[in-house]
Amino acid sequence: MGKVTGFLEIDRQVHKYQPASDRIRHFREFTLPMSDKEVEKQAARCMDCGIPFCHGPTGCPIHNQIPDWNDLVYNGDWDNAIRNLHSTNNFPEFTGRICPAPCEEACTLNLEDIPVAIKTVEQAIADKAYETGHIRPYPPEKKTGKRVAIIGSGPAGMAAAQQLGRAGHDVHVYERESRPGGLMRYGIPDFKIEKHYIDRRIEQMQGEGVTFHCGVNVGVDKQVAELLADYDAVLYCGGSETPRPANIPGDDLGGVYDAMPYLVQQNRRVGGEPIQSVAWPSHPIIASGQHVVVVGGGDTASDCIGTAFRQGAVRVTQLDIRPQPPEKEDKLAVWPYWATKMRTSSSQAEGAEREFQVATLEFIGEDGQLTGVRCCEVDEKRKPIAGTEFVIRADLAFIAIGFAGPASDSVMKELDGEIKVVTDSRRSRNVEANDRDYRTSIDKLYAAGDVRRGQSLVVWAIREGRQAARSIDEALMGATVLPR
């Protein structure tokens, strides 16, 4: 695959970024695109490694045929590269931007810390496909007469809708917000993915016959029971939205927020929408001139950091209860799996101060308003170490420690009530469904994505949406040609 000796002759190169001092002045994407020739050289580094772990279960959840489209790009066959990529991934322009690239961790060349720049090549293929007009509506040749409703228009719902629409079904997607995309639109900042990429896909899907009903909060404005009665199948792709409770004293002070209302507000501002959201109501939250503390060490915490800097925060401190990871992993112990090692996101690189192995003991304030965060160091069991307490000045604090299951005030309220769907045994109460046919305990009701598996990556949501679509098509038609 690629050039046989490419990995020996060509150095790894990935997209460069605008300098931090420039990119924090706007909310646009800040990657600097590579030329076609540069991308082709990077694709040439893909070696004939025998067992390509990059597209196995350890590397790519949707099993992208990475060596194949790397070879096509190396040979300048961009049209067949996007055809190959689309055979496994409906939205490579999404994953090429926001996937953490476990495929690169699983690359054989990562044993030498020089993996193939898979994510860079993937994004380049998708972007070039738009330029050349390859990404356009592909409506089905004939209709089946079957109707399918999908609740939620995040990546799982979008992937399922496109697959089922192309199979000839009449697909209707119900979204409670004013525009489709789910938390991919409203939770992930524009500096990571600009929303016109979502808009282009929605336009393509509408051209393929998919109907979007925005501003419809299923479980409130329209009942699940009504959908089950009106459609041949219903797929629930509601996501994981309930913030994990931090149980930190003082979290009721003014200035202390869960991360998602803050991120949703700013995304709505950038999109020219009113900041009030159906699911995340809050008064305006602005970090301009503020000292900000972010509790949590994941992607959502990084998104808060990058957003705060762009709003003009004076100082941003990130608190992570986990110990600082090593700079380099033991390859022979963990490869080809995702390694725990020191990683610095683009947002953290913009000037965040990071505190590791630190517990947040209390939010402190005056007259009901946050003034600081009391912390302490912890041992390897996350127990406080006596005598290590300190206070960080804070005008704003964001809690970004993950999500504990689907929202409970709309769809799940009805499913837990009259319909009585079976949920898993964890406190998150995800909808119970296996990853083979995605059927729930209720006839005609399926579930996929984070609402089923818990919070996860966009690439996993796309996988589950595609697989659920195959199961639904097979159930409705008795057979299916949709890929698994």
Side-chain angles (χ1 to χ4, degrees):
M1 292 299 166
K3 186 177 182 182
V4 175
T5 57
F7 69 98
L8 296 172
E9 302 170 9
I10 303 167
D11 292 335
R12 169 182 161 90
Q13 299 290 334
V14 295
H15 284 148
K16 299 296 190 295
Y17 292 158
Q18 290 178 359
S21 58
D22 293 338
R23 67 183 188 245
I24 63 170
R25 299 176 186 273
H26 61 79
F27 280 88
R28 301 184 303 277
E29 291 182 16
F30 49 79
T31 54
L32 304 175
M34 298 169 67
S35 70
D36 289 355
K37 290 300 180 185
E38 290 173 320
V39 175
E40 288 170 7
K41 286 174 64 177
Q42 291 306 305
R45 297 185 64 246
C46 189
M47 59 190 295
D48 188 7
C49 56
I51 299 177
F53 288 93
C54 59
H55 68 74
T58 57
C60 182
I62 49 179
H63 304 295
N64 280 339
Q65 300 168 78
I66 294 163
D68 298 74
W69 44 255
N70 270 327
D71 184 58
L72 290 166
V73 169
Y74 164 58
N75 287 291
D77 192 352
W78 291 79
D79 284 348
N80 277 321
I82 188 61
R83 290 188 182 95
N84 186 296
L85 185 48
H86 271 153
S87 71
T88 57
N89 184 357
N90 295 69
F91 313 121
E93 69 275 25
F94 300 169
T95 53
R97 285 172 165 80
I98 56 180
C99 183
C103 52
E104 294 190 14
E105 292 286 304
C107 177
T108 301
L109 287 175
N110 192 39
L111 287 167
E112 298 292 332
D113 289 315
I114 51 171
V116 175
I118 300 169
K119 182 176 175 179
T120 295
V121 177
E122 180 179 21
Q123 180 180 334
I125 295 171
D127 290 348
K128 190 169 183 65
Y130 273 113
E131 294 172 12
T132 58
H134 185 87
I135 298 181
R136 60 185 184 273
Y138 293 93
E141 294 182 358
K142 61 180 181 179
K143 290 288 190 176
T144 65
K146 301 293 186 179
R147 304 178 75 231
V148 181
I150 297 176
I151 305 170
S153 65
M158 285 180 65
Q162 184 163 64
Q163 293 295 95
L164 288 165
R166 288 176 173 177
H169 303 302
D170 182 18
V171 181
H172 292 255
V173 181
Y174 291 87
E175 169 57 49
R176 69 175 176 219
E177 299 292 348
S178 55
R179 298 175 184 173
L183 288 186
M184 191 164 55
R185 178 185 294 276
Y186 291 107
I188 299 176
D190 281 66
F191 56 79
K192 291 176 72 173
I193 179 170
E194 294 180 11
K195 304 309 182 281
H196 61 84
Y197 295 106
I198 302 173
D199 294 335
R200 292 196 301 195
R201 282 296 182 181
I202 297 302
E203 184 178 351
Q204 179 197 32
M205 292 166 66
Q206 289 172 329
E208 295 170 350
V210 176
T211 303
F212 289 87
H213 304 271
C214 293
V216 180
N217 191 0
V218 175
V220 177
D221 304 321
K222 193 177 188 69
Q223 300 303 304
V224 179
E226 185 180 346
L227 295 179
L228 289 169
D230 292 345
Y231 291 88
D232 297 293
V234 177
L235 175 61
Y236 181 25
C237 298
S240 181
E241 299 178 305
T242 302
R244 195 175 301 281
N247 299 319
I248 300 171
D251 60 6
D252 57 344
L253 287 169
V256 180
Y257 302 94
D258 287 315
M260 201 50 64
Y262 176 57
L263 297 175
V264 170
Q265 266 193 27
Q266 185 55 40
N267 281 343
R268 294 178 73 91
R269 283 191 193 95
V270 173
E273 297 186 71
I275 65 171
Q276 288 299 326
S277 166
V278 175
W280 311 99
S282 179
H283 62 271
I285 313 168
I286 297 288
S288 176
Q290 306 290 293
H291 288 71
V292 178
V293 170
V294 180
V295 180
D299 290 337
T300 303
S302 275
D303 293 345
C304 288
I305 291 168
T307 300
F309 279 130
R310 283 160 179 75
Q311 289 183 345
V314 173
R315 177 185 180 191
V316 181
T317 305
Q318 181 179 15
L319 306 179
D320 194 333
I321 199 169
R322 299 170 298 182
Q324 182 169 335
E327 291 291 333
K328 183 175 170 59
E329 74 273 31
D330 180 352
K331 298 289 186 183
L332 297 181
V334 298
W335 181 87
Y337 298 96
W338 184 263
T340 298
K341 62 182 176 181
M342 188 66 175
R343 303 174 191 269
T344 300
S345 71
S346 59
S347 294
Q348 291 164 337
E350 290 163 1
E353 299 179 27
R354 303 170 72 182
E355 298 280 355
F356 289 97
Q357 211 159 344
V358 165
T360 306
L361 299 178
E362 180 184 13
F363 297 112
I364 56 179
E366 296 178 3
D367 300 323
Q369 185 64 35
L370 177 72
T371 59
V373 181
R374 188 163 63 89
C375 313
C376 75
E377 297 177 13
V378 296
D379 60 22
E380 64 278 0
K381 295 184 178 180
R382 300 187 177 183
K383 300 295 183 183
I385 299 174
T388 64
E389 291 190 12
F390 60 97
V391 175
I392 300 174
R393 176 182 170 182
D395 307 301
L396 278 176
F398 300 113
I399 302 172
I401 59 172
F403 302 90
S408 60
D409 59 351
S410 52
V411 177
M412 287 306 299
K413 185 175 182 180
E414 184 179 355
L415 293 183
D416 279 336
E418 296 178 6
I419 296 179
K420 299 191 184 308
V421 73
V422 174
T423 55
D424 63 19
S425 58
R426 296 175 293 179
R427 288 180 295 175
S428 58
R429 293 184 58 75
N430 298 319
V431 176
E432 185 74 42
N434 64 50
D435 61 358
R436 295 182 302 279
D437 60 21
Y438 293 88
R439 294 174 182 266
T440 71
S441 59
I442 305 301
D443 185 41
K444 299 200 304 183
L445 180 65
Y446 299 74
D450 289 4
V451 76
R452 187 200 73 85
R453 67 178 290 116
Q455 68 173 65
S456 190
L457 304 176
V458 166
V459 69
W460 274 104
I462 293 172
R463 168 190 170 126
E464 296 216 348
R466 287 170 61 88
Q467 292 185 339
R470 175 186 168 88
S471 175
I472 292 170
D473 186 43
E474 188 172 32
L476 295 181
M477 306 303 296
T480 182
V481 297
L482 291 178
R484 178 165 169 78

